[in-house]
Amino acid sequence: MAASSSSSNYYNRNGGVSFNSSTSSLKGSNITNNNGTKVTSSASFKRKSSLRRSSTGSIPAGSATGKDSSGGVRGRVRVAVRLRPRNAEEVVADTDLPDCVELQPELKRLKLRRNNWDSDTFEFDEVLTEFASQKRVYEVVAKPVVESVLDGYNGTVMAYGQTGTGKTYTLGRLGEEDTSARGIMVRALEDILAEISPENDSVSISYLQLYMETVQDLLHPANDNISIVEDPKTGDVSVPGATLVEVKDQKSFVELLCLGEAHRFAANTKLNTESSRSHAILMVHVKRSVKGKDSALSVENGSASHMTKILKPPVVRRAKLVVVDLAGSERIDKSGSEGHTLEEAKSINLSLSALGKCINALAENSPHVPVRDSKLTRLLRDSFGGTARTSLVVTIGPSPRHRGETASTIMFGQRAMKVENMLKIKEEFDYKSLSRRLDIQLDKLIAENERQQKAFQDEIERIASEAQKHITEVESNYAAALEKEILKFQTQYLESTQKLEEQTVKDQEQFGKGKVDVAQKDATIDKMSGGQSATLLAEINEVKKLLQDETLLRKAAEEEISSLRNQLTQWKRLEASKNSEILKLHKMLEDESHEKAKLEEEIAVLQSQLLKLSFEADESRRRLENGAKLSGDLDSLIPQANLQSSRDLGDGASMAKLFEQVGLQKILSLLEADDADVRIHAVKVVANLAAEESNQERIVEAGGLTSLLMLLRSSDDETIHRVAAGAIANLAMNETNQELIVSQGGINLLSTTAAHANDPQTLRMVAGAIANLCGNDKLRMKLRGEGGIKALLGMVSCRHPDVLAQVARGIANFAKCESRAFTQGNMMGRSLLIEDGALPWIVQNANNEASPIRRHIELALCHLAQHEVNAKDMISARALWELVRISRDCSRDDIRNLAYKTLTSSPNFQAELKCLRIDYG
């Protein structure tokens, strides 16, 4: 049939092309009509079939884009047309009729036949023949959009066309049997998952259908009336009520698509045996991290300038890929719709009509775009005239019987090519990630400061020990030397005095004897006569000579005595000087004592400052745990902390300097302080340190574990009990520490604490500590014998979910130890848990709503069931039904497989199932 002049003008206004006879010609983007005039298309048709990725995240130049003053990038909607091959019905019915369309893919041109001698010509961005592969369609239509999504832009891929022309085949074909038949959805997710980093990035999907103007969740069919929310500031459209599932691999994504397709509405019509009766919308949310450089901030501290490294919050790009499989447009008389199917067709045609009106308004730059006429147009608000990069594939059939529907589909694509979007990157700061990094950095600083404090304290003790040792050695040396000299001088003095006295006595004896001899000689001379006088005179002279010799000897002895007296005086002076040196040493010792006292005073001041710091750290950690929001300028967080610490210290010292002066021994000594507040702050600091595995060994070596157990034994403060139990729970993660806790009576102390505790958080800490001990095979009997299992079961009366989760974990750990003991032949009787009455509570909570409780209880049941001696008790307690449920419905593969293996390998369970006529195995 021939087109009238009015229809020709209509197509010129709305499609950007003009119809002419079969001799019409196209040159570039100018098309000549019947009257010889040239009509210029609003968009260039010479585009590359594929786009190159941009390393800067901008849209490639091949997409007809341009920069905008607001920082966005202009991008026209790209349209491709795909021809479906003839189906079996058309091969029979249209044997003598030629196809209504003729494709020229090399020129990206399509001719729509009016009659045997006249046709209309259209140009698209891509023209895909009936022989085009699914891979070719994906690379031409969707791959440029997927690449833009990975760069941070929103993107939309949509299929439009008559019912039965292959929209669902193009978009949603899974290709489970033939991978080459995979559609755009599967291939797009494959490319996205290949490009992202599993550690830093994430991909999540929602799968919806718009049925009878109602948004329904295909992944959760019970959610059948989802509202559409629009941000009044940005105009972004979202569906917060839809199920959002994170995707890790291609297999899980295909399973989700299968689940969604099973819930999608379809019906049998004359045009298609599986005609979609709803619009399917797949939303893929991509979050990618963009690594940035850290900055440095100069902070003045007194006269010195320090550079403090401040971490910038990481930049995150959030993009959304929307894949829309529209329901097919149809005529009632051709589809043969009746009853409810007729109502479905009316709803589909109304929504598609509203979409066509919006695209007409956008193509003509109309001031009003009727977006709110349909929920479909509201959902696609960002795709046409918004900020998303959009690619449209229109599907047509070759049958001349449906020429009217084919022409309408082609004109829809022509008008869509005139719509321009303003593409913008979706970037934001990841403050949560920065908060986690700051927490890690703070913990590292605390650990480093603790190490420096310990080194400083050790250095002080070493210097004091060396000084005391040196003083002791000097005193000992001087005392020994002085005593030796005094003894030497006394011995010499006594010897000299004795010699002198002996010599004096001897001289006196010789002198008296000489006088007697002279008197005797004189008498003899008087008696003797003349002849002997000469002999006597000679003798007298000799005696005189002897007397003179004796006199000389006496003078020499007196001189020697005088010399000895001088030496004694010198020795006394030397003794006085030695005494003076000893006094100096005593004075030095007193000075050292005063210096030591000053150091002890400084340590006391540092302990007080440590208490202030621990209080501030506890307050900061509490604010972070309660989800307090960070301040607007996170880059100033660390400088503010340093400034506050400077105010607290009063001398401008930094936090690091404060930690350098406090050691672990001093912190542990505060656990025995008389002030209750000091003990509370000290135990909180120890608990925070015990949370780091690197600190646990040092805490135990320094006696911290003994001090914590002593606090449980001696203190009546429940706050101290709660924090001390938490610290013991952290230390109990190490196997060596577990044995120390048990050897020091820790099980009895924890049981007693649980019996007197009223606060659920205290019970949670105690249950966590006992649960850690339950995982040690060596402590199984001691734990039960000292009342640990009974204490654990006694805490279930609290009914707090956190306490129950720790109790369930402890039971699972104990059951696992029993399972290992049974396997190794170290256990023959039935389970100690069953003997202590834990089985009814385990069965009651096997299907608990809280997933942590349920997961641990399911694992405990599986381990108990592996011991054949427990089978009869478990059957009578109805635990067998829970095992069957776990083997079928458990969300974790390992627990589900363990339950199945246990059921199939147990003769007692198999016999009971057989009696119940349940075929299992």
Side-chain angles (χ1 to χ4, degrees):
M1 70 180 187
S4 64
S5 60
S6 62
S7 64
S8 177
N9 292 333
Y10 173 78
Y11 290 136
N12 283 331
R13 288 195 306 271
N14 297 279
V17 299
S18 62
F19 287 96
N20 56 4
S21 65
S22 59
T23 59
S24 64
S25 62
L26 287 85
K27 295 182 179 180
S29 60
N30 297 327
I31 304 173
T32 305
N33 63 9
N34 291 333
N35 298 325
T37 61
K38 292 184 178 180
V39 180
T40 303
S41 174
S42 63
S44 173
F45 295 110
K46 293 184 178 180
R47 304 298 176 203
K48 296 180 180 180
S49 61
S50 61
L51 299 177
R52 295 182 179 178
R53 294 289 304 275
S54 171
S55 61
T56 61
S58 62
I59 294 300
S63 59
T65 61
K67 287 289 184 180
D68 185 74
S69 59
S70 63
V73 181
R74 293 187 181 276
R76 175 177 60 77
V77 175
R78 300 182 74 255
V79 182
V81 61
R82 186 182 192 186
L83 177 64
R84 171 183 60 77
R86 286 191 176 193
N87 55 33
E89 181 183 355
E90 292 171 348
V91 170
V92 175
D94 301 337
T95 304
D96 299 330
L97 299 176
D99 291 347
C100 67
V101 293
E102 177 185 350
L103 304 184
Q104 296 177 341
E106 66 279 357
L107 299 177
K108 300 181 181 179
R109 182 184 300 168
L110 177 147
K111 288 185 178 182
L112 178 64
R113 298 181 187 276
R114 292 183 178 180
N115 45 48
N116 291 334
W117 59 87
D118 194 7
S119 62
D120 299 323
T121 303
F122 304 91
E123 287 194 359
F124 290 91
D125 292 306
E126 290 293 339
V127 174
L128 303 168
T129 68
E130 64 271 27
F131 305 108
S133 64
Q134 290 282 73
K135 181 179 179 182
R136 168 69 176 164
V137 174
Y138 170 72
E139 291 178 348
V140 168
V141 176
K143 189 170 185 178
V145 179
V146 172
E147 291 174 346
S148 297
V149 170
L150 290 172
D151 287 333
Y153 296 89
N154 287 344
T156 302
V157 178
M158 188 170 70
Y160 178 90
Q162 183 189 8
T163 298
T165 53
K167 298 182 298 300
T168 303
Y169 178 85
T170 301
L171 295 181
R173 187 67 181 269
L174 300 181
E176 294 177 319
E177 298 178 356
D178 184 6
T179 57
S180 64
R182 293 173 299 168
I184 286 176
M185 290 182 181
V186 179
R187 294 178 184 271
L189 255 294
E190 183 179 10
D191 283 356
I192 291 174
L193 292 173
E195 288 293 329
I196 67 169
S197 170
E199 293 80 9
N200 303 319
D201 305 336
S202 65
V203 178
S204 53
I205 69 164
S206 296
Y207 200 13
L208 312 172
Q209 69 174 353
L210 180 60
Y211 176 72
M212 301 287 286
E213 282 301 298
T214 303
V215 180
Q216 301 178 358
D217 196 337
L218 290 175
L219 300 181
H220 188 216
N223 193 7
D224 58 356
N225 191 11
I226 302 175
S227 59
I228 302 173
V229 178
E230 298 181 16
D231 191 332
K233 295 182 179 180
T234 62
D236 291 341
V237 178
S238 61
V239 280
T243 302
L244 192 64
V245 181
E246 186 172 356
V247 178
K248 294 295 185 181
D249 52 38
Q250 190 76 4
K251 181 181 178 182
S252 62
F253 172 68
V254 173
E255 292 176 353
L256 291 174
L257 284 184
C258 291
L259 177 63
E261 288 298 325
H263 296 144
R264 189 177 177 187
F265 288 100
N268 183 9
T269 66
K270 292 181 179 181
L271 297 178
N272 190 358
T273 57
E274 290 291 335
S275 176
S276 301
R277 313 311 291 168
S278 65
H279 307 297
I281 303 166
L282 174 68
M283 293 183 177
V284 183
H285 301 269
V286 181
K287 174 186 173 184
R288 301 195 71 187
S289 298
V290 181
K291 294 183 179 179
K293 295 182 178 179
D294 295 338
S295 62
L297 179 65
S298 178
V299 180
E300 293 295 334
N301 185 9
S303 60
S305 177
H306 301 282
M307 297 298 292
T308 305
K309 188 176 182 183
I310 307 301
L311 295 175
K312 285 185 177 179
V315 178
V316 175
R317 288 181 177 173
R318 298 182 184 271
K320 179 173 65 175
L321 173 64
V322 180
V323 183
V324 185
D325 181 11
L326 295 175
S329 60
E330 61 184 38
R331 291 183 179 179
I332 305 303
D333 56 344
K334 290 187 177 182
S335 63
S337 300
E338 296 178 352
H340 185 68
T341 308
L342 177 60
E343 296 299 323
E344 293 174 342
K346 290 180 180 180
S347 176
I348 293 170
N349 289 337
L350 284 175
S351 60
L352 293 178
S353 176
L355 178 61
K357 290 178 181 179
C358 290
I359 291 179
N360 288 342
L362 291 169
E364 295 174 357
N365 293 323
S366 174
H368 172 67
V369 180
V371 177
R372 294 188 172 272
D373 288 357
S374 170
K375 288 188 177 181
L376 176 62
T377 54
R378 290 180 64 191
L379 286 171
L380 298 179
R381 181 174 184 175
D382 194 41
S383 303
F384 293 96
T387 60
R389 180 175 187 182
T390 303
S391 184
L392 172 67
V393 54
V394 293
T395 58
I396 59 176
S399 176
R401 292 181 296 163
H402 305 302
R403 184 190 178 283
E405 288 82 352
T406 302
S408 176
T409 301
I410 291 173
M411 294 314 304
F412 180 88
Q414 290 288 291
R415 290 190 295 274
M417 289 177 66
K418 298 182 68 176
V419 178
E420 284 192 353
N421 293 345
M422 183 59 63
L423 310 170
K424 293 183 180 179
I425 292 181
K426 307 292 183 180
E427 288 186 347
E428 61 185 25
F429 292 113
D430 190 357
Y431 292 109
K432 292 184 179 179
S433 176
L434 175 63
S435 176
R436 289 193 297 270
R437 293 171 63 187
L438 289 177
D439 283 341
I440 294 173
Q441 187 176 11
L442 178 61
D443 292 339
K444 289 182 178 179
L445 287 174
I446 291 175
E448 178 63 21
N449 288 330
E450 177 64 25
R451 186 191 64 78
Q452 294 178 356
Q453 294 162 18
K454 182 66 169 58
F456 176 74
Q457 184 65 27
D458 293 343
E459 184 67 17
I460 290 177
E461 292 178 356
R462 186 187 64 81
I463 293 174
S465 176
E466 290 182 355
Q468 184 64 36
K469 183 178 179 181
H470 180 69
I471 291 171
T472 303
E473 290 179 355
V474 171
E475 287 181 347
S476 177
N477 292 337
Y478 274 110
L482 180 61
E483 185 177 359
K484 185 177 181 181
E485 289 293 330
I486 290 173
L487 291 174
K488 180 180 177 182
F489 292 152
Q490 288 178 350
T491 303
Q492 291 179 354
Y493 176 74
L494 292 175
E495 289 177 355
S496 300
T497 303
Q498 186 177 4
K499 288 180 180 180
L500 220 58
E501 290 178 352
E502 291 176 355
Q503 187 66 33
T504 303
V505 171
K506 186 178 180 181
D507 291 343
Q508 289 178 353
E509 291 178 352
Q510 290 179 356
F511 184 72
K513 186 178 180 181
K515 288 183 177 181
V516 172
D517 292 341
V518 172
Q520 291 177 356
K521 289 179 179 181
D522 288 339
T524 303
I525 291 172
D526 291 337
K527 293 179 179 180
M528 292 178 68
S529 56
Q532 296 177 348
S533 58
T535 304
L536 293 173
L537 184 61
E539 290 179 358
I540 290 170
N541 291 332
E542 184 178 354
V543 170
K544 289 181 177 179
K545 185 177 180 181
L546 291 172
L547 184 59
Q548 291 176 355
D549 293 337
E550 290 294 336
T551 302
L552 293 175
L553 289 173
R554 185 173 181 177
K555 289 181 178 179
E558 291 176 352
E559 291 178 355
E560 186 175 357
I561 291 172
S562 178
S563 175
L564 290 174
R565 287 176 178 174
N566 291 333
Q567 290 181 4
L568 181 61
T569 303
Q570 291 179 359
W571 290 338
K572 289 181 177 181
R573 291 176 182 174
L574 181 61
E575 181 180 3
S577 65
K578 296 296 183 182
N579 291 333
S580 176
E581 291 182 4
I582 291 174
L583 291 175
K584 290 181 180 179
L585 290 175
H586 282 295
K587 186 176 181 180
M588 291 174 61
L589 182 60
E590 291 178 357
D591 293 340
E592 291 289 341
S593 300
H594 290 308
E595 188 69 23
K596 183 178 179 180
K598 289 181 181 179
L599 290 175
E600 291 177 351
E601 292 177 359
E602 291 180 1
I603 290 173
V605 173
L606 292 176
Q607 289 175 351
S608 175
Q609 294 170 352
L610 173 62
L611 291 178
K612 292 181 180 179
L613 181 62
S614 66
F615 177 76
E616 293 174 1
D618 189 48
E619 290 295 327
S620 300
R621 188 176 298 277
R622 188 179 295 110
R623 287 196 297 271
L624 288 175
E625 289 177 353
N626 292 337
K629 295 184 178 179
L630 297 176
S631 61
D633 186 8
L634 285 180
D635 287 343
S636 63
L637 179 60
I638 293 178
Q640 289 176 359
N642 290 338
L643 183 59
Q644 183 64 33
S645 298
S646 300
R647 293 196 189 103
D648 292 340
L649 293 176
D651 58 352
S654 63
M655 184 186 299
K657 183 176 180 181
L658 177 62
F659 274 107
E660 289 176 358
Q661 300 177 10
V662 180
L664 179 60
Q665 292 291 344
K666 296 300 180 182
I667 296 175
L668 295 178
S669 66
L670 296 178
L671 296 176
E672 302 175 1
D674 296 332
D675 192 344
D677 291 337
V678 174
R679 290 200 305 273
I680 290 174
H681 290 303
V683 74
K684 286 182 179 180
V685 172
V686 174
N688 290 333
L689 292 175
E692 290 291 337
E693 185 177 355
S694 57
N695 298 329
Q696 293 177 358
E697 183 178 355
R698 293 191 295 169
I699 292 174
V700 174
E701 290 178 353
L705 177 59
T706 304
S707 300
L708 292 171
L709 293 173
M710 183 62 68
L711 283 177
L712 292 181
R713 181 181 293 108
S714 60
S715 177
D716 296 331
D717 193 312
E718 187 159 357
T719 301
I720 293 179
H721 286 176
R722 180 175 65 254
V723 181
I728 294 172
N730 290 334
L731 295 175
M733 292 187 292
N734 182 281
E735 184 176 353
T736 303
N737 297 341
Q738 292 172 358
E739 297 178 358
L740 290 175
I741 291 172
V742 175
S743 65
Q744 296 183 23
I747 297 177
N748 289 328
L749 290 174
L750 290 172
S751 302
T752 304
T753 303
H756 294 89
N758 296 319
D759 186 4
Q761 296 304 320
T762 304
L763 294 175
R764 180 173 69 89
M765 296 298 181
V766 174
I770 297 178
N772 290 337
L773 297 175
C774 287
N776 194 323
D777 295 340
K778 302 176 183 177
L779 307 178
R780 180 167 53 88
M781 299 305 298
K782 287 186 177 180
L783 191 66
R784 194 249 185 158
E786 296 182 13
I789 299 301
K790 290 185 178 179
L792 202 64
L793 295 175
M795 284 184 274
V796 301
S797 61
C798 175
R799 298 185 180 276
H800 193 281
D802 293 341
V803 178
L804 297 181
Q806 295 298 328
V807 172
R809 183 170 68 88
I811 290 175
N813 289 342
F814 196 87
K816 187 175 182 180
C817 290
E818 287 190 333
S819 177
R820 284 198 294 263
F822 173 72
T823 303
Q824 297 170 1
N826 297 329
M827 179 177 175
M828 301 302 294
R830 65 174 184 166
S831 170
L832 300 178
L833 290 173
I834 296 178
E835 291 183 357
D836 287 345
L839 187 58
W841 185 83
I842 294 175
V843 175
Q844 181 182 357
N845 288 271
N847 199 14
N848 196 294
E849 295 180 356
S851 59
I853 301 174
R854 184 176 65 253
R855 184 176 68 253
H856 291 306
I857 292 299
E858 289 175 345
L859 190 60
L861 275 174
C862 292
H863 286 306
L864 289 174
Q866 289 183 335
H867 195 351
E868 191 66 19
V869 179
N870 301 331
K872 293 183 179 180
D873 291 319
M874 297 185 72
I875 291 172
S876 62
R878 302 185 63 84
L880 177 59
W881 297 106
E882 296 298 335
L883 284 172
V884 173
R885 180 191 59 79
I886 294 170
S887 67
R888 294 177 177 176
D889 302 334
C890 183
S891 59
R892 286 186 49 174
D893 294 340
D894 54 344
I895 299 178
R896 187 170 64 251
N897 294 335
L898 181 59
Y900 179 82
K901 180 179 177 181
T902 303
L903 288 172
T904 55
S905 61
S906 171
N908 288 323
F909 288 154
Q910 285 293 310
E912 182 67 17
L913 291 172
K914 187 175 181 181
C915 292
L916 296 174
R917 297 182 180 180
I918 299 176
D919 186 10
Y920 203 93

